[in-house]
Amino acid sequence: ATHFLTLLKAAVASPTSPMANLPLVTDAERVQQMRSVPVVDGSPALSGFLSAVAETPSAVAVEDQTGSRTYAELGDWSDRVAAGLLARGVTSGDVVAIALPRSAAAVAAMLGVWKAGAAYLPLDLDQPPTRRDLILADAQVACVITELSFDGFIQDGSLWTDRSSDGVVPSRSEPGLNDLAYVIYTSGSTGKPKGVEVEHGTLSRLIAWQRGAFRLSSLDRCSQTVNIGFDASMLELWGALATGAAVCIAPDDARIDAEALSHWLLESRVTIAFVLPALAETMFKLPWPSDCALRVMLTGGDVVRRSPPSELPFAVYNNYGPTEHTVVATSGRIEPESGPRPSIGHPLPGVRAYVLDPAGAMLPDGIEGELYLAGTGVARGYRGLDSLNAARFLRDPFVPGDRM
């Protein structure tokens, strides 16, 4: 009845307007959709990492199947990668592809790219070579970082991540918030894969949110389970490394099996884990010791169809965000025994979520429409696709000067 009265009032006030242009939402609902929690600004992830290197050089930064690397060791390793890139002519604004499996080497490569002033493009090694070739050509990368065991995988512009090599990185300023941090390609499920450009500023705000929402600190041990070509890897890596926490890289056989993954999480004393929904729902049903180190399980990337049981000793959070919005746009704790299809939560600080009709008008609660995301998490745009950017990254009609 309230929405019908709103429609009638609008019709009386503007009798010549088409019905489709008349609002249904009340002023209170409009305010609610436009409201956002004040944004928490942060510094670039590289700045946080360098602070950890200076303050806790002997703390473990990354663990993988080859062993552990301290912050000092990872800092030196990434310096050598950066020196190699600079020697090959990589410069500020370039994009460097990373063709490495999930490993400490991949993390060193990403940091090295940033130290060289460039942005990185993570490649999914499980994808067909034709797709990788398409991505490399489309992104116009300056160089590809790979491993010696992948010799011949990339024909030109390779740089081997050899820890025995020496290199000194020339003094250069840290990246600015408006500088490009990474390029990540969409799945291509709706057509040709598109490279999404994300800046250091939006990534820094994601990290600031993680610290506050999950009490992320240097005492945490965070899992790394997803392919580095999936943008959830940013959620796993950079909040931890910018805070002085440890990143624990799961072995391949553990990351695809619920029982093996739960065993590894317990054995590795992981405190914060990201788990894809299909695995998470199976893991909800497994026995967990009440004194396990795990205190936060994050999930997302697909629909969550089951809420966790009340006896789990950790909190579960559902996270939603398209590639075009820096990793996470909405997040919320899934309350135990709350039924099927848990909510995707609430917008992050600085993010606004609108539900609009085909004409771009706000819709009231309970009416199906299309979700638009606006605010501080919106990516820079698609790489080299100006016409598509104009069609997909729109002017926010409700907040002058913003995009959605």
Side-chain angles (χ1 to χ4, degrees):
T2 300
H3 299 129
F4 183 60
L5 288 174
T6 301
L7 182 65
L8 288 179
K9 288 179 181 178
V12 170
S14 182
T16 60
S17 294
M19 182 70 72
N21 293 346
L22 298 178
L24 277 173
V25 296
T26 64
D27 289 342
E29 288 173 328
R30 181 181 296 273
V31 169
Q32 178 64 32
Q33 289 202 39
M34 293 179 61
R35 179 182 298 154
S36 65
V37 176
V39 66
V40 179
D41 286 319
S43 56
L46 179 60
S47 300
F49 172 77
L50 294 176
S51 294
V53 171
E55 295 167 10
T56 56
S58 60
V60 172
V62 180
E63 290 180 358
D64 64 11
Q65 290 182 286
T66 67
S68 62
R69 304 285 183 270
T70 66
Y71 272 88
E73 290 172 331
L74 188 60
D76 290 344
W77 192 356
S78 57
D79 281 347
R80 291 191 287 272
V81 173
L85 290 170
L86 292 169
R88 300 183 79 90
V90 171
T91 188
S92 178
D94 281 346
V95 173
V96 175
I98 296 177
L100 295 170
R102 298 175 312 104
S103 60
V107 177
M110 296 171 194
L111 289 164
V113 170
W114 282 349
K115 287 181 175 182
Y120 74 86
L121 163 61
L123 293 175
D124 183 349
L125 300 185
D126 294 331
Q127 293 173 339
T130 52
R131 176 181 162 92
R132 293 194 296 265
D133 292 343
L134 183 154
I135 287 173
L136 290 173
D138 184 74
Q140 298 182 321
V141 299
C143 187
V144 179
I145 300 178
T146 186
E147 283 187 325
L148 192 60
S149 58
F150 288 93
D151 191 8
F153 172 60
I154 302 295
Q155 294 183 3
D156 299 308
S158 297
L159 171 73
W160 312 122
T161 55
D162 180 2
R163 294 191 74 236
S164 66
S165 65
D166 294 321
V168 178
V169 181
S171 176
R172 61 168 61 242
S173 60
E174 294 175 21
L177 295 177
N178 294 325
D179 290 338
L180 188 62
Y182 63 86
V183 178
I184 196 156
Y185 272 72
T186 62
S187 65
S189 58
T190 58
K192 179 183 175 183
K194 299 174 286 293
V196 178
E197 298 183 322
V198 175
E199 297 175 349
H200 282 280
T202 54
L203 181 59
S204 74
R205 287 186 281 272
L206 178 76
I207 294 168
W209 164 74
Q210 283 181 267
R211 287 172 173 162
F214 310 121
R215 295 178 285 113
L216 177 61
S217 77
S218 60
L219 301 177
D220 279 305
R221 293 171 58 80
C222 304
S223 71
Q224 200 290 307
T225 63
V226 304
N227 193 297
I228 65 169
F230 178 29
D231 63 352
S233 64
M234 316 302 169
L235 188 69
E236 296 179 310
L237 291 172
W238 299 122
L241 292 172
T243 308
V247 171
C248 305
I249 300 177
D252 285 337
D253 58 352
R255 58 191 284 261
I256 58 174
D257 178 81
E259 289 195 16
L261 181 56
S262 65
H263 177 76
W264 176 80
L265 291 172
L266 292 171
E267 188 177 58
S268 301
R269 296 172 288 109
V270 167
T271 58
I272 300 177
F274 179 87
V275 181
L276 292 171
L279 277 175
E281 290 168 11
T282 302
M283 293 169 73
F284 291 166
K285 298 180 287 187
L286 298 177
W288 292 87
S290 59
D291 60 348
C292 71
L294 186 64
R295 60 183 183 82
V296 173
M297 178 183 285
L298 308 175
T299 190
D302 201 350
V303 176
V304 180
R305 294 178 170 85
R306 180 180 293 111
S307 58
S310 57
E311 62 269 18
L312 282 185
F314 50 83
V316 181
Y317 291 82
N318 190 17
N319 302 275
Y320 164 79
T323 307
E324 292 82 353
H325 188 287
T326 312
V327 189
V328 180
T330 69
S331 178
R333 181 172 180 176
I334 305 176
E335 295 300 329
E337 311 292 356
S338 56
R341 299 298 291 267
S343 163
I344 60 172
H346 301 282
L348 269 58
V351 177
R352 296 181 302 281
Y354 308 136
V355 179
L356 308 180
D357 69 11
M362 284 187 186
L363 291 170
D365 291 348
I367 303 298
E368 186 175 311
E370 190 162 1
L371 179 63
Y372 286 78
L373 299 167
T376 57
V378 177
R380 179 188 286 183
Y382 297 121
R383 185 167 179 81
L385 298 175
D386 292 341
S387 59
L388 188 60
N389 285 334
R392 298 287 182 86
F393 292 86
L394 307 174
R395 178 184 60 83
D396 186 336
F398 310 110
V399 179
D402 258 4
R403 298 183 306 144
M404 65 180 190

